[in-house]
């Protein structure tokens, strides 16, 4: 499987909560790292259990692009955290996706996930989450504001 194909299948499986597909795409030694909380989830089954315990909400994938013409359009998903993904890029042994997730309490966070590949499967996924903030007035004349999509 090529890196772009793995990245596309993996992202679709995550945002559709397709645990069977994820199991096939993840390495036997898979681990998910969440540096902000200091947690490491060892194994696909533990990741699935955490996802299933999380309060559910809907979501969709926005445009995914990057590495060797990887492209996906909007897809409605049952992802527990309700994310639209903004971009995906990479190839070879690493791919990265970035976007936003909306938690069941309505709070919006940006997410960047870095996925490492070994033997054609995702062995490690490191996800960073951060809350948006209003830009400070003191630098307003030096920046442009991105429009929300």
């Amino acid at each position: 499987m090529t890196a772009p194909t793995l990245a596309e299948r993996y992202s679709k499986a995550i945002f559709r909560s397709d645990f069977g597909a994820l199991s096939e795409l993840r390495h036997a030694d898979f681990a998910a790292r969440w540096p902000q909380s200091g947690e490491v989830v060892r194994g696909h089954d533990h990741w699935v259990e955490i996802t299933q315990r999380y309060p559910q909400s809907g979501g969709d994938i926005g445009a995914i692009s990057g590495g060797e013409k990887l492209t996906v359009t909007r897809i409605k998903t049952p992802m527990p955290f309700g994310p639209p993904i903004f971009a995906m890029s990479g190839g070879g042994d690493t791919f990265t996706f970035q976007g936003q997730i909306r938690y069941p309490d309505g709070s919006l966070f940006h997410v960047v996930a870095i996925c490492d590949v070994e033997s054609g499967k995702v062995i490690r996924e490191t996800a960073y989450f951060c809350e948006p903030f209003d830009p400070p007035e003191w630098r307003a004349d030096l920046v442009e504001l991105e429009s929300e999509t």
Side-chain angles (χ1 to χ4, degrees):
M1 181 180 325
T2 65
T5 300
L6 174 61
E8 181 177 0
R9 287 183 184 171
Y10 191 80
S11 65
K12 284 181 180 179
I14 281 183
F15 297 110
R16 289 182 174 146
S17 295
D18 186 342
F19 303 133
L22 284 170
S23 178
E24 293 175 12
L25 298 170
R26 286 179 169 160
H27 194 280
D29 296 327
F30 171 79
R33 292 181 58 241
W34 301 326
Q36 286 167 285
S37 64
E39 297 170 286
V40 177
V41 181
R42 299 234 182 256
H44 170 73
D45 291 342
H46 287 162
W47 187 92
V48 169
E49 182 69 22
I50 289 169
T51 303
Q52 289 177 333
R53 288 184 189 181
Y54 208 92
Q56 300 292 308
S57 67
D60 70 339
I61 298 177
I64 297 174
S65 61
E68 300 177 41
K69 300 181 181 176
L70 175 64
T71 302
V72 175
T73 55
R74 289 188 119 39
I75 300 170
K76 289 292 182 188
T77 70
M79 178 63 180
F81 313 134
I85 290 296
F86 289 149
M88 176 178 278
S89 62
D93 295 335
T94 304
F95 63 90
T96 302
F97 56 86
Q98 56 183 310
Q100 293 178 328
I101 56 176
R102 185 168 303 279
Y103 288 99
D105 69 358
S107 61
L108 181 71
F109 278 69
H110 293 277
V111 62
V112 174
I114 303 161
C115 298
D116 297 313
V117 178
E118 184 176 295
S119 302
K121 295 189 175 195
V122 175
I123 191 165
R124 189 171 28 264
E125 178 185 307
T126 302
Y128 297 90
F129 305 88
C130 65
E131 202 167 14
F133 58 88
D134 290 328
E137 191 62 37
W138 62 263
R139 63 181 180 219
D141 63 328
L142 302 172
V143 301
E144 297 175 14
L145 296 179
E146 291 185 326
S147 63
E148 298 206 32
T149 56

